[in-house]
Amino acid sequence: MRSASLIALASMATVYFIDWAQAVLMPLVVAVLISYALDPLVSPFDRIKVPRPLGAGVVVTALLAVMVSASIPLQREAVAMLDKVPVAINKFQRSAASAPPKEEGIIEKAQAAAKEIEASASDSKPKTPGVTPVQIVRKPFDVKEYLMGGASSALVLVSQSFSALLLVYFLLAVGKLYRRKVVRISGPSFGRMRKAARIMDDFHHQVRSFLFVMLLSAIFVGAFTWLAFLILGVEQAGLWGVLAGIASGIPYLGPFLVLLGTGIAAFLQFGTLDMAFIVAGTSLVVTSIQGYLLTPWLTSHLSSLNPVAIFVGLSFWGWLWGPVGLIIATPMLMVIKSLCDHVTNLRPLGELLGK
């Protein structure tokens, strides 16, 4: 009994930790990464004696303006794609209705046999006089409840995005304040302060190098996907290029979703499985070159992590934070590895993470 209560308490603590990590830590980590990427854009304002809070506000506002202006043509392409979905569904239903009946497969035969066994078992049960049989009726699909659940999830996502945006502004506004505080706290000896400064410099270098690799990979995937789809005659090729470039930053999950989405879109547009496989295969080739050649080659020059450590980190952070966890897993491992290399007591862990 005691062990069962301990297991229940541990499961409740795990759920609470995951919820707390998603609500508090995830916006903080994302904001830190974005602030590292935008800090070189704010630094020129310091050289011309513009107050850093003002320069940070200009950069964040300009970034939002660019994102909104770039999303307008993509929104038109997305609306045009969604308008064709009902037509494609009706066409698919008509073709399915006119198709000749096919012979039952193994799964259909197994389902029919299971239903017959269930019916015979229910008939063979003794019936008690005066007892009304109870039949469990499944609750029908409630569209309103589904939309309300989706609306609450969207509201949480919007609130977390807004929190991350505010954190980005404040981190850019304070500049190197926390870096100086960490160096000051590590004192009082000059050697410890210099070591802390080296660790912070290494953190900056690792994170910015990772963001540079991510940017190059996204540009490569987006440009080549757009060109390939343009040659194949795929509609909304520009939209698919942008989506593929963004999804390339999510290891494993992003390329798979692009592969699935482009295959379905090609089948709906061309109406043949051959073109669906060609378009999806083209997307797979581009993302495979990026995932197995370009990104590992660039990362190998910037990091000393071994593939097993990267895979375990992706699995853990993906389980904890979903797609966002997959994005930040590699820079988190790079920072942890850098910290372990500089701290004597943590060097065994750094040796496990290294090549």
Side-chain angles (χ1 to χ4, degrees):
M1 187 70 180
R2 183 178 179 182
S3 61
S5 61
L6 289 176
I7 293 174
L9 184 62
S11 62
M12 291 176 60
T14 303
V15 172
Y16 176 77
F17 171 74
I18 294 175
D19 293 339
W20 177 79
Q22 289 180 345
V24 178
L25 288 181
M26 186 169 67
L28 177 61
V29 175
V30 173
V32 170
L33 291 177
I34 297 176
S35 64
Y36 271 110
L38 297 180
D39 185 72
L41 301 178
V42 184
S43 299
F45 289 95
D46 295 336
R47 301 190 188 98
I48 59 176
K49 306 302 181 181
V50 174
R52 192 166 180 91
L54 180 59
V58 171
V59 170
V60 173
T61 304
L63 176 65
L64 291 176
V66 169
M67 292 175 61
V68 171
S69 60
S71 65
I72 293 176
L74 297 177
Q75 184 179 3
R76 297 195 190 102
E77 293 192 3
V79 170
M81 182 186 299
L82 292 176
D83 289 339
K84 297 176 183 178
V85 172
V87 179
I89 292 176
N90 292 331
K91 180 180 178 181
F92 179 77
Q93 290 176 347
R94 287 196 301 269
S95 61
S98 61
K102 61 179 181 178
E103 186 180 354
E104 290 186 349
I106 297 177
I107 298 177
E108 289 79 4
K109 290 181 179 180
Q111 290 177 347
K115 289 181 180 179
E116 291 179 1
I117 294 173
E118 183 180 358
S120 61
S122 60
D123 293 339
S124 63
K125 289 182 180 179
K127 297 181 180 180
T128 305
V131 177
T132 304
V134 178
Q135 184 178 3
I136 299 175
V137 180
R138 294 183 178 180
K139 184 180 178 181
F141 179 74
D142 191 352
V143 179
K144 182 178 179 181
E145 183 179 354
Y146 177 78
L147 292 177
M148 290 296 292
S152 61
S153 301
L155 183 61
V156 171
L157 180 61
V158 170
S159 62
Q160 289 181 344
S161 301
F162 183 71
S163 300
L165 183 63
L166 288 178
L167 282 172
V168 167
Y169 169 73
F170 289 127
L171 289 172
L172 291 175
V174 298
K176 298 180 180 180
L177 174 65
Y178 284 99
R179 180 183 176 184
R180 292 193 297 266
K181 287 182 178 294
V182 170
V183 173
R184 195 179 303 125
I185 292 173
S186 62
S189 66
F190 178 74
R192 295 179 62 179
M193 295 175 67
R194 186 174 59 182
K195 185 176 182 179
R198 280 202 309 268
I199 294 175
M200 297 300 295
D201 290 337
D202 200 6
F203 286 175
H204 281 251
H205 174 71
Q206 295 284 346
V207 174
R208 288 184 179 176
S209 300
F210 170 77
L211 293 174
F212 178 71
V213 171
M214 293 286 290
L215 179 61
L216 287 182
S217 300
I219 293 174
F220 172 83
V221 173
F224 277 89
T225 300
W226 170 66
L227 288 174
F229 284 9
L230 204 62
I231 295 173
L232 292 173
V234 178
E235 297 176 347
Q236 287 82 40
L239 176 62
W240 282 116
V242 173
L243 293 177
I246 296 174
S248 65
I250 308 176
Y252 307 130
L253 179 61
F256 172 74
L257 293 178
V258 173
L259 170 70
L260 186 63
T262 53
I264 295 175
F267 178 75
L268 294 178
Q269 177 184 344
F270 299 103
T272 60
L273 288 176
D274 294 339
M275 283 302 300
F277 283 123
I278 290 174
V279 173
T282 303
S283 172
L284 179 63
V285 169
V286 174
T287 54
S288 297
I289 293 174
Q290 176 261 335
Y292 293 102
L293 295 177
L294 179 63
T295 302
W297 179 75
L298 292 173
T299 306
S300 64
H301 289 76
L302 304 173
S303 173
S304 58
L305 295 172
N306 65 72
V308 176
I310 294 176
F311 180 78
V312 173
L314 290 172
S315 302
F316 173 75
W317 292 105
W319 164 77
L320 186 64
W321 288 342
V324 178
L326 292 174
I327 297 174
I328 67 173
T330 303
M332 291 285 288
L333 287 175
M334 294 170 70
V335 169
I336 293 173
K337 176 68 168 61
S338 176
L339 179 64
C340 294
D341 291 340
H342 287 88
V343 178
T344 305
N345 295 332
L346 297 179
R347 283 178 182 172
L349 178 58
E351 183 64 27
L352 292 176
L353 296 176
K355 294 180 180 179

